[in-house]
Every structure is written in C-alpha cells, then in structure tokens.
Amino acid sequence: MEKTEMVKSRFKRVCVFCGSSTGKRNCYRDAAIELAQELVSRRLDLVYGGGSVGLMGLVSQEVHRGGGHVLGIIPKTLMCKEITGETVGEVRPVADMHQRKAEMARHSDCFIALPGGYGTLEELLEVITWAQLGIHDKPVGLLNVDGYYNYLLTFIDKAVDDGFIKPSQRHIIVSAPNARELVQKLEEYVPVHDGVVAKARWEAEQLELNASLQIDIAR
C-alpha cells in the first residue's frame, strides 16, 4: 500500500457495513480499498462483520496491512459461510445477528456503508433508526460508489416529502462518492437531537442484554 499522510480525526473506530460479495464491477473493489486506505491515513481502527470474503475481506485486509486494528464481529452460525481461509485482526464470535449489530455499534464512533445487499441495508437502516430515536448520535455515512445508493436516497427524500420522515432527520445520513470526501463530512457532522429515547437508559438496557447473551454463548 502506498504511504499516506496521517490526518488527525475526532474518531477512534469506524464501523463499516459492506457485502460478503465483491459485486460485479471493479469500482466496488476499488472503493473498498480506497476507504481502508483513508481509515489508515487517519489512524482509525476498523469494526466490521468479521468475514474474510467479499468487500468485507478487502477492507479488513487493507486496514490490517496498513497497521490499523481490525475487530470483526460475527455470529457463530455464519463463520463457515463468511470466513474462508485466514482472517486478520481480532475475530469475536457472538450468539446471533442481533448481538452482532449491537456489538458493532457499541465499539464504533461512526458508521459507513459500502455497497452491499440485504444484510448491508438492514444494518445501515437499523443504525439510522437508532439515530432517529435518539439512541445514539454517531454519524452515518453512505459511500455512494458510482451512484449505487441513488435510488435509496431518492426513496428517503420521497419519505420526507410525504411526511414519513422529519426533514431534520433527513440529515442523519451523509453521502459522498469517494472515501476522502465522505470521511471529512462525517468529521464535520453535527447530530440531530430530536429523538424519543433517552440514550443513557438505552445503553443501560443494552449492557444488561449483552450480559445475558454472553451467558447464552457460553452454553
């Protein structure tokens, strides 16, 4: 990997949602590597879904190669499907998809979605909803590679126009066509504070839930 200039960041760890496939176009692979290099240039550690295949594998390997810490969180039932060959960094098995998302969120300071399928969208929309409710105030970014997420953004704008999403909450999501621009927008993000759930209460409930899930994993 080429040497990059180190840039100071307000974040320590970034959660990246992305596909367990690389997709059919080279631009998606290139974007994953570019994002990893941008994280390394800002000395940001990676939290991701734990797989060694697809865009997940590309991002994790590139961050690890650049000297960043990599934390992969993966349900035990998916380890055979999403891990092939040697993994990099720390891989932490959890009980199920719910705990995977909760742990990824807990260990991260912001979220970025690369192109992906149903799983990526589900993870993305959940953290957006948590922000909408006031459960967290962490920035959420879309890496809109070659317009991949244009239709999703159009749908969200339609939901705002038709009264299903508040106009202020449209700004929960930031998007950009390349990694450098997106990460800079996330650095400058100012959270929207009109949620309905007390953050402290939610975090306390999550700690209690995680404790019970750890007991289930050990069984």
Side-chain angles (χ1 to χ4, degrees):
M1 188 182 77
E2 295 181 359
K3 289 185 178 180
T4 51
E5 181 183 352
M6 293 296 178
V7 181
K8 189 173 181 180
S9 174
R10 61 185 272 205
F11 309 122
K12 292 182 179 178
R13 295 171 296 273
V14 176
C15 178
V16 175
F17 303 130
C18 55
S20 56
S21 168
T22 56
K24 293 183 176 181
R25 302 174 61 201
N26 289 336
C27 61
Y28 303 137
R29 299 171 57 92
D30 295 342
I33 293 171
E34 178 190 295
L35 174 60
Q37 293 173 346
E38 184 64 24
L39 298 185
V40 169
S41 77
R42 294 173 182 264
R43 297 181 180 175
L44 296 172
D45 294 331
L46 172 69
V47 179
Y48 81 116
S52 62
V53 296
L55 297 186
M56 282 196 291
L58 289 174
V59 171
S60 60
Q61 290 156 17
E62 193 69 17
V63 170
H64 186 262
R65 189 178 298 119
H69 181 264
V70 175
L71 172 61
I73 300 173
I74 186 168
K76 287 183 175 181
T77 54
L78 289 183
M79 292 183 75
C80 293
K81 177 179 174 62
E82 293 187 355
I83 296 180
T84 59
E86 187 177 353
T87 58
V88 297
E90 178 185 357
V91 177
R92 187 173 301 175
V94 293
D96 54 34
M97 295 292 286
H98 298 292
Q99 192 184 13
R100 180 196 221 179
K101 290 180 292 184
E103 285 294 289
M104 289 170 74
R106 187 167 70 88
H107 288 284
S108 303
D109 301 312
C110 68
F111 307 93
I112 292 175
L114 277 162
Y118 288 139
T120 301
L121 276 178
E122 192 267 344
E123 291 168 332
L124 170 67
L125 292 174
E126 183 148 352
V127 295
I128 290 171
T129 303
W130 290 352
Q132 181 186 42
L133 294 173
I135 291 167
H136 73 77
D137 56 7
K138 301 173 182 180
V140 181
L142 282 179
L143 189 48
N144 193 20
V145 182
D146 201 22
Y148 183 81
Y149 282 115
N150 283 353
Y151 289 117
L152 175 62
L153 294 169
T154 298
F155 161 75
I156 293 170
D157 288 336
K158 175 66 172 173
V160 172
D161 291 342
D162 286 2
F164 291 101
I165 296 174
K166 294 179 181 178
S168 63
Q169 293 173 341
R170 169 62 179 84
H171 302 293
I172 288 172
I173 313 166
V174 300
S175 65
N178 62 72
R180 178 166 295 182
E181 184 179 338
L182 179 62
V183 175
Q184 188 57 42
K185 284 186 176 182
L186 293 174
E187 296 275 9
E188 297 167 358
Y189 174 81
V190 178
V192 176
H193 291 292
D194 56 358
V196 296
V197 177
K199 182 180 175 184
R201 177 160 57 87
W202 172 265
E203 289 177 345
E205 290 173 356
Q206 289 303 298
L207 286 173
E208 184 178 342
L209 175 61
N210 285 335
S212 66
L213 287 171
Q214 290 296 333
I215 293 172
D216 290 340
I217 294 173
R219 288 175 180 169

